[in-house]
Amino acid sequence: MAELALREYLWVGIGVLLIVAWAVQQLFFTIRYPSNLPRIGGEPRFSLRTRWRFHTDARGLFKEVYDNYSKKGKTVLVPGYGFHDDIILPASALRWLQRQPERLAWKDIDLTPTIRMIVAQAATRFTLGGSPTGRKLCYDKGYLKACLDISDALVISAGLSGASPKLLRPILGRLGSISAKRQIRGLEKYFEPVYRERIRMLEEGVAESDAKMPEDHLQMMLRFGLSERRDEALSLHDMTKRLCIANFGSMHQTSIQIVNMLLNIIDSDEEFDTVSVLREEVAQIVGDNKASGWTKARVAAMTRADSVARETLRLHSFTSRGVVRKVVSDGVVTEDGIALPKGSSVSFIAYWLQTDGDVFENPFKFDPFRFSRAREAEMDEQGKPGLANMSFVSTGTQNLAFSHGKHACPGRFLVDFELKMVIAYVLMNYDIEFLPEYNGKRPENRWLADAYFPPKDVKIRVRRKERAG
Ligand code: HEM
Ligand SMILES: *[C@@H]1O[C@H](CO)[C@@H](O)[C@H](O)[C@H]1NC(C)=O
Ligand SMILES: *[C@@H]1O[C@H](CO)[C@@H](O)[C@H](O)[C@H]1NC(C)=O
């Protein structure tokens, strides 16, 4: 008797468990299909026969589904494995579906690290991407990250030795560069295959006109080195160090400039419609964004993007001083009669020259088209904007971020391309906006002594843009 009761309890228990499991499944795991989604056969639920048919005659079933629904542009629910159901889309929805992942929700991205990787990649393409071996490094995250880390280490090392008294410099400078030195050694293993390949090509005298001879910064450096400083050019270690200096030039300030520029574009969009104006210019000048669209003439014609870039450097240059020079001999006397001592350093305060209220209306306002308005007002008959002295690459007392004169940054012509390509690519492929907590205002940059840094940990939101057509 007791035995029987126990067995009954067991069955009841199992029964209750199954009911609970079924209820949970129904409540939480069952997909509720909308009422306007037809099921094949038109029944409110699939008969066992229909389900069975999927497992035994999917080919025939699908033929009917195809003829009755897909070909007619209708979406339909069909049985799937076991008791699962699947929605079948009509063939005509293929293009619509392809666009879907691109319409995913907004995604928050950490702006600085993202831009740094992009810039490192673009800069590497310029520096040593002229051969297949070099081009591989453009996609090697380990290499790119190592280059960026070394650039950071160089800033710390330079800051530490620069700030220390001359007497202590040999000690503090050395301490400050321990990490950079170790990392540069680490970079050698990435660099070695490209370096050896390039030296071999130059030493074995591949003709300059040979199509296989890469044309990039590294090749120029090595060609010059082999003729002027052979020992150095033939040392992997020395050339790795030179590569790091080149990387510093091409990666560090460019990333900062792009971060500032994107923040300024979003910040000014409400008032100036910056994004649409730039999109229009890109569409008009480089068309559908093919690589072949990027000629020097076209880049120069992007007056509005140019203005956005120049206005960004005007307000948000990383360095607040320009034309920093060291006095290397006695006897230099300034116009106001000051004899400059040998070893002293002179410079100009670029930040205040670039924000002087006597020269610039509303000097602290980011006015994206400040320069293009002036230039378009001076257009010639062919529609070419005037005032080339107000272009991004043109330096002078009102544009000192690249310094001025004989040693002005030669990289600015490359930066000019990079910035406009970033504007074109980002704005043509993405919508961008601030996080809601910024309240529509870009977070302020930070001063660190005389350097002006983009806001720490700044984020933006991006969403893939739906392409027209
Ligand atoms: C927005 C980005 C950049 C800014 C703001 C910038 C700024 C500067 C400044 C202020 C100087 C010092 C010039 C002087 O002392 O007169 C300089 C020098 C230099 N920059 Fe740039 N730079 C940028 C990007 C680049 C890039 C991308 C490259 C290389 C691909 C580069 C290569 C160089 C070189 C080689 C020098 C030394 C020129 C010389 O001493 O004659 N720079 N840059
Ligand atoms: C498709 O249409 C035919 C003809 O109306 C019908 O007999 C058949 O059951 C339909 N099949 C499905 C899967 O809807
Ligand atoms: C550019 O040139 C114009 C006319 O030649 C002059 O009025 C203007 O001040 C110059 N601007 C700069 C930034 O040099």
Side-chain angles (χ1 to χ4, degrees), residues 151-400:
S151 290
D152 292 341
L154 289 179
V155 175
I156 293 169
S157 156
L160 215 77
S161 62
S164 57
K166 217 168 175 184
L167 197 69
L168 294 179
R169 203 168 284 173
I171 302 165
L172 289 178
R174 228 157 251 150
L175 284 176
S177 64
I178 289 175
S179 148
K181 279 196 177 127
R182 187 177 41 76
Q183 293 179 60
I184 291 170
R185 284 274 176 211
L187 198 73
E188 273 178 32
K189 72 173 194 304
Y190 285 106
F191 180 45
E192 188 164 4
V194 192
Y195 168 78
R196 299 253 177 259
E197 167 202 74
R198 300 301 184 84
I199 290 286
R200 208 180 316 117
M201 287 174 118
L202 288 166
E203 288 290 86
E204 286 172 8
V206 180
E208 298 267 325
S209 57
D210 192 320
K212 271 185 303 200
M213 181 63 91
E215 266 319 317
D216 53 26
H217 193 183
L218 175 65
Q219 208 66 356
M220 282 173 71
M221 276 162 65
L222 287 173
R223 197 177 288 135
F224 177 84
L226 285 171
S227 80
E228 307 291 323
R229 300 176 179 215
R230 230 182 128 71
D231 289 349
E232 210 179 298
L234 290 175
S235 150
L236 168 66
H237 185 59
D238 285 347
M239 287 313 295
T240 309
K241 286 200 264 185
R242 290 217 170 258
L243 171 68
C244 292
I245 299 298
N247 284 344
F248 182 78
S250 63
M251 295 177 186
H252 187 257
Q253 296 228 32
T254 312
S255 322
I256 292 175
Q257 161 76 357
I258 292 178
V259 167
N260 280 322
M261 188 179 71
L262 290 175
L263 293 177
N264 289 344
I265 287 174
I266 304 175
D267 189 81
S268 62
D269 190 47
E270 198 178 313
E271 186 176 349
F272 295 92
D273 222 3
T274 317
V275 172
S276 314
V277 172
L278 291 174
R279 278 179 181 156
E280 213 169 278
E281 182 175 76
V282 172
Q284 207 181 3
I285 294 173
V286 274
D288 52 4
N289 205 2
K290 294 213 179 74
S292 60
W294 290 101
T295 60
K296 201 163 186 258
R298 287 189 183 160
V299 166
M302 295 172 73
T303 322
R304 293 178 182 179
D306 196 281
S307 178
V308 166
R310 179 163 168 145
E311 178 73 346
T312 297
L313 271 189
R314 185 182 75 79
L315 276 179
H316 295 116
S317 291
F318 173 70
T319 47
S320 59
R321 280 185 287 167
V323 206
V324 182
R325 294 289 177 265
K326 193 161 200 155
V327 180
V328 292
S329 69
D330 281 319
V332 185
V333 180
T334 65
E335 286 180 336
D336 51 350
I338 316 268
L340 299 173
K342 185 178 163 187
S344 59
S345 120
V346 298
S347 59
F348 298 82
I349 302 192
Y351 180 78
W352 288 108
L353 277 165
Q354 292 166 186
T355 54
D356 187 334
D358 293 341
V359 180
F360 298 100
E361 204 178 303
N362 227 334
F364 290 100
K365 185 175 187 70
F366 179 84
D367 175 352
F369 308 117
R370 187 188 286 275
F371 299 108
S372 53
R373 270 197 311 273
R375 296 185 63 196
E376 283 163 12
E378 300 284 315
M379 218 165 290
D380 69 9
E381 273 119 57
Q382 278 95 52
K384 208 171 151 234
L387 299 176
N389 64 347
M390 290 195 188
S391 72
F392 177 68
V393 294
S394 166
T395 64
T397 46
Q398 292 162 27
N399 191 25
L400 279 172

Side-chain angles (χ1 to χ4, degrees), residues 40-41 61 64-65 68-69:
I40 53 166
L61 183 72
E64 285 175 28
V65 171
N68 294 8
Y69 298 92

Side-chain angles (χ1 to χ4, degrees), residues 39-42 50 53 60-69 72 76 78:
R39 288 164 193 264
I40 53 166
T50 313
R53 191 166 168 215
L61 183 72
F62 282 177
K63 171 78 172 114
E64 285 175 28
V65 171
Y66 182 70
D67 287 342
N68 294 8
Y69 298 92
K72 295 178 180 161
V76 67
V78 303

Side-chain angles (χ1 to χ4, degrees), residues 126 249-250 253-254 257 325 401-403 407-411 414-415 418:
F126 168 83
S250 63
Q253 296 228 32
T254 312
Q257 161 76 357
R325 294 289 177 265
F402 293 118
S403 190
H407 291 281
C409 177
L414 178 70
V415 179
E418 282 181 278

